[in-house]
Amino acid sequence: MTNPQIDYAAMAAQWRAEREANLKATRAELIAQLRALGISEVTAEYEGYGDSGNVEDVTVQPAEVQLPEALATEVGDFAWSLAYHHHPGFENNEGGYGTLTWDIALDSIILDHADRYVECSHSYDEGL
């Protein structure tokens, strides 16, 4: 007989570790390709709400370098995955958005993220 108890905390920690390992491997693959093209910086804008979202734009510096479409898609997927790793569920309800800025020379990433929310103030007064 198996134990029906599920250790959700352990399962979540395992998933987080797997995501981190995948992000690290993807980052190493991408940075090699970006450096080979002479790219010094990548910027990816992302947006999510209503249970969906996507990367709106991927730009590179120097601007005259043409990023191949397949690589732009991979960079966008990486940006989305990294944002989701640090802000899981941001695409739900009112959603969230942000900008990933990746300094390729230093291999340093800044993730500037914002979450949207609805705020309500309610009062009920009777018999005043």
Side-chain angles (χ1 to χ4, degrees):
M1 184 175 193
T2 60
N3 185 347
Q5 297 292 325
I6 297 174
D7 187 345
Y8 288 105
M11 198 164 52
Q14 178 185 351
W15 290 343
R16 182 170 182 80
E18 289 170 1
R19 282 192 316 269
E20 286 174 354
N22 188 33
L23 286 167
K24 185 177 181 180
T26 301
R27 183 175 180 162
E29 291 171 12
L30 290 175
I31 200 162
Q33 294 177 59
L34 295 166
R35 285 177 174 163
L37 291 172
I39 293 171
S40 61
E41 183 179 273
V42 173
T43 303
E45 306 279 340
Y46 61 90
E47 170 114 21
Y49 56 88
D51 300 335
S52 65
N54 59 14
V55 173
E56 302 289 323
D57 195 24
V58 174
T59 58
V60 298
Q61 293 298 324
E64 60 272 3
V65 175
Q66 184 68 21
L67 191 61
E69 189 174 327
L71 184 54
T73 298
E74 289 180 51
V75 169
D77 291 347
F78 172 74
W80 181 269
S81 295
L82 189 68
Y84 196 87
H85 181 68
H86 289 280
H87 302 279
F90 76 83
E91 81 288 0
N92 294 321
N93 302 319
E94 286 70 39
Y97 60 94
T99 303
L100 176 142
T101 305
W102 189 0
D103 181 321
I104 300 302
L106 299 176
D107 189 17
S108 174
I109 294 176
I110 297 171
L111 187 63
D112 185 5
H113 180 86
D115 288 311
R116 296 185 196 93
Y117 64 93
V118 173
E119 182 176 338
C120 296
S121 177
H122 179 93
S123 65
Y124 179 83
D125 300 307
E126 188 175 311
L128 297 174

